[in-house]
Amino acid sequence: MKYIYTIVLLLNFLSFSWAQEGKKEYGAKFEFDSENEKDPHFVLVDNYNTYLLTVLDVYGVMAGHQVIVRKFDQKNTLVETYKYDFPIIGEKNMFNNSLFNYLGYAEGQNGKVAVFTEVYSNKTKTYQIHKVEFDKATAKFTSTVLAEGEIPSAMKSGSLFSEKSDNGNYLAINYHKYRAKGTPDKNQLIVIDTKTLSIAWQKEVSFDNEFTSDKFTVTNSGKVVLVRDMNGSKKGITYLTVISASGQEDKNFDSQIFLNELKSVSIGSQEYLIAFNSSAIDFKDEYYKNLLLYDLQSGKILSNNKIPEFSPGKGIIDVDIRNVMLQNNEMHIFAEGKTELKEKMTTGLEMMNAKPKYNFGPAYLFVTSFDGQLKATKKLSTQHFCSADLHHSFGLANVKGTYYVNAGEYYGIYVLGDNLQKEETKISFNVPRWRSEEPNQFVNQLFTYFPDKNSFLLAKVISKGEMALVDISGF
């Protein structure tokens, strides 16, 4: 009898463990270039198919510039791969001399997804900004020129960046044009309505003062906020210019400040800025020493919390605000640092040919009140040796108000419980730490929840040339 009781307890334990582990179903492996394919996203997901969007943007001997869309069935088996070359200027030939930039992507509510690219040519002294659109109904690509013009040269072609609004309804492209001495500072702005993938508004803004505007964000109502900084020794004297389809307005600060990573959020109908920042005096040493909340309507700083988490002593070279969630009358700000990966090199040849390598991490959750006061800080368990070319340090899913964090092989998928401070492992991959190095790794940010099936979808790089999708249920 005692043995039967022990067996029952063991069976119950195994059943509980299985529920915690979840049921993992791997799809068939498929070809994937983990060294050169960038910025992967699950898009156009429905109950029948999932699409994986990536871009190939490589120069040199293995040159290639393509939009790649892969279609998968319900068993996560690859059905079809669609590829489209980045648009060029002029005729396609080996002497075209076109240079490219990938700007970002947006998923519409019309069964389409768009990738935005720039092409410029030293030969023709011109540039173009393109929208490459994929329609899953027809499985066809179309390309549209959104803007074009002249440049002085390839070295003086300006810079382009894109940002999405926090609600995902807008994508803004900012072309900061090359500025010759004694000429105005010009920004060409294109704001895309992501629901339709059409242009919501566009305009060129020009400034005659000494300030320059590289950094920007876009609000949930589709306004562009330019950060206007002074160059040189006066750097840190900053103001904002808020631009809409119908006008623009400057916003000032009461004290000198340098904004680095920033994002616009909405609380009710009011729009705000969240920004990691420093003062003008010490910004070089303490680039991300403060976390600010700024009221865009009143032009006032509501709070500016000192934070040591992204201090320069940790080798942080950049910070990315990944997600901002509003729950329980709080703001939950998920952010990760970016560090340079130091590799041991023993020969002079290795040092000469070495290229900088980066990885994401550490990552933190900052909890603030709606007036920006810091209430709690939580360091997230993440893997820090993933190449930043492909991997972020974590993926996040909000399931009915509960945060699931995908931290890869070693930490698995865990829930943030106990007032967001305790990590409760829900799904373990049981991979020893020494075995969880590249290329055999999950791409952590590829992490999607299906409420109808109560399952997660992940993607794992199996080797440098292969990947597989993984469905996890029963957790």
Side-chain angles (χ1 to χ4, degrees):
M1 188 71 182
K2 179 176 68 174
Y3 296 109
I4 295 175
Y5 179 71
T6 303
I7 292 172
V8 170
L9 284 177
L10 179 60
L11 289 173
N12 287 336
F13 173 76
L14 290 174
S15 298
F16 175 76
S17 299
W18 174 253
Q20 292 295 95
E21 289 297 311
K23 181 182 178 182
K24 306 178 184 71
E25 294 185 3
Y26 282 76
K29 293 186 292 185
F30 57 91
E31 290 186 2
F32 182 83
D33 186 349
S34 61
E35 291 188 345
N36 295 313
E37 291 190 51
K38 314 295 184 188
D39 201 27
H41 296 277
F42 289 136
V43 296
L44 306 174
V45 175
D46 56 35
N47 290 328
Y48 303 97
N49 298 107
T50 299
Y51 294 78
L52 176 62
L53 171 70
T54 63
V55 293
L56 186 69
D57 193 9
V58 182
Y59 289 91
V61 178
M62 302 300 292
H65 310 276
Q66 290 182 321
V67 180
I68 304 173
V69 178
R70 293 178 174 88
K71 179 181 179 180
F72 299 86
D73 62 18
Q74 291 175 302
K75 296 294 185 181
N76 295 322
T77 299
L78 180 64
V79 176
E80 190 65 70
T81 300
Y82 310 97
K83 298 181 179 181
Y84 190 85
D85 291 338
F86 284 13
I88 64 170
I89 295 175
E91 296 181 2
K92 185 174 182 179
N93 58 66
M94 65 182 298
F95 305 107
N96 182 264
N97 295 320
S98 290
L99 299 169
F100 303 91
N101 281 315
Y102 163 66
L103 304 177
Y105 88 103
E107 182 178 353
Q109 296 180 2
N110 51 6
K112 299 178 181 179
V113 63
V115 167
F116 300 90
T117 66
E118 178 204 18
V119 57
Y120 57 105
S121 170
N122 195 56
K123 181 179 180 181
T124 63
K125 301 293 191 294
T126 57
Y127 77 93
Q128 291 180 340
I129 300 172
H130 289 263
K131 176 182 70 172
V132 176
E133 197 171 86
F134 176 79
D135 186 344
K136 74 175 183 179
T138 61
K140 301 293 184 182
F141 289 94
T142 57
S143 175
T144 305
V145 177
L146 300 181
E148 57 186 334
E150 297 180 353
I151 56 173
S153 67
M155 295 295 293
K156 300 177 180 179
S157 59
S159 55
L160 280 98
F161 303 95
S162 75
E163 294 286 342
K164 282 183 183 175
S165 61
D166 185 54
N167 61 8
N169 289 341
Y170 295 95
L171 177 141
I173 297 171
N174 177 17
Y175 175 26
H176 186 216
K177 296 188 174 183
Y178 171 77
R179 185 180 190 179
K181 187 175 181 179
T183 63
D185 188 49
K186 295 182 178 180
N187 292 74
Q188 185 173 6
L189 305 174
I190 304 173
V191 177
I192 303 294
D193 181 337
T194 60
K195 295 186 293 296
T196 62
L197 299 178
S198 60
I199 295 177
W201 61 271
Q202 62 177 326
K203 65 169 63 173
E204 181 176 282
V205 292
S206 180
F207 304 92
D208 291 324
N209 56 28
E210 298 178 50
F211 291 72
T212 185
S213 44
D214 287 320
K215 295 186 289 292
F216 75 103
T217 189
V218 57
T219 72
N220 285 337
S221 62
K223 298 175 183 177
V224 171
V225 183
L226 293 179
V227 179
R228 303 280 296 149
D229 287 321
M230 284 288 281
N231 283 322
S233 61
K234 294 183 180 180
K235 196 170 182 65
I237 303 173
T238 299
Y239 73 95
L240 305 174
T241 299
V242 183
I243 305 164
S244 66
S246 57
Q248 65 186 61
E249 181 183 7
D250 291 339
K251 301 286 184 178
N252 296 306
F253 293 94
D254 295 332
S255 58
Q256 292 185 353
I257 196 168
F258 179 77
L259 304 183
N260 186 43
E261 170 71 354
L262 69 156
K263 192 173 188 65
S264 178
V265 298
S266 297
I267 302 175
S269 60
Q270 297 292 105
E271 294 183 325
Y272 302 84
L273 286 184
I274 296 171
F276 290 96
N277 66 93
S278 68
S279 71
I281 297 173
D282 59 9
F283 76 92
K284 289 183 179 179
D285 298 322
E286 301 287 348
Y287 218 44
Y288 308 99
K289 67 178 292 186
N290 301 318
L291 179 60
L292 165 148
L293 182 66
Y294 181 88
D295 187 332
L296 276 173
Q297 182 173 351
S298 66
K300 299 293 183 182
I301 295 176
L302 300 183
S303 65
N304 200 15
N305 307 279
K306 289 187 177 181
I307 56 168
E309 282 72 22
F310 292 124
S311 67
K314 298 179 180 179
I316 305 294
I317 63 169
D318 199 3
V319 171
D320 184 14
I321 298 175
R322 291 279 306 279
N323 304 89
V324 180
M325 306 285 188
L326 305 184
Q327 288 190 177
N328 304 322
N329 294 317
E330 296 174 334
M331 280 196 294
H332 302 156
I333 303 165
F334 293 84
E336 66 183 345
K338 188 177 183 180
T339 59
E340 186 171 353
L341 183 62
K342 301 294 184 180
E343 293 187 302
K344 186 177 181 180
M345 290 173 282
T346 58
T347 67
L349 183 62
E350 286 179 341
M351 295 179 184
M352 288 178 58
N353 295 327
K355 294 181 180 179
K357 293 184 179 181
Y358 304 96
N359 46 234
F360 283 111
Y364 293 89
L365 163 62
F366 300 96
V367 180
T368 75
S369 61
F370 279 175
D371 61 0
Q373 299 301 316
L374 186 64
K375 298 174 67 175
T377 299
K378 163 65 180 173
K379 184 176 182 180
L380 303 177
S381 294
T382 59
Q383 293 176 223
H384 305 303
F385 44 79
C386 304
S387 169
D389 288 338
L390 180 62
H391 304 265
H392 281 274
S393 62
F394 69 94
L396 183 70
N398 188 340
V399 181
K400 299 178 180 179
T402 299
Y403 295 124
Y404 285 76
V405 180
N406 177 28
E409 284 82 351
Y410 185 65
Y411 291 106
I413 298 173
Y414 59 82
V415 164
L416 290 177
D418 193 14
N419 200 27
L420 303 178
Q421 295 302 300
K422 184 178 180 182
E423 297 175 358
E424 302 170 359
T425 301
K426 292 296 180 182
I427 300 166
S428 173
F429 298 114
N430 296 321
V431 178
R433 191 167 193 170
W434 63 270
R435 288 187 55 199
S436 58
E437 297 180 357
E438 293 183 287
N440 186 24
Q441 281 187 341
F442 284 96
V443 182
N444 299 331
Q445 71 272 23
L446 285 175
F447 184 49
T448 295
Y449 175 69
F450 294 91
D452 292 344
K453 300 188 294 183
N454 191 30
S455 66
F456 289 120
L457 181 64
L458 294 80
K460 185 173 185 178
V461 175
I462 306 300
S463 67
K464 288 186 177 181
E466 291 181 317
M467 176 183 271
L469 301 190
V470 188
D471 186 83
I472 300 177
S473 60
F475 53 87

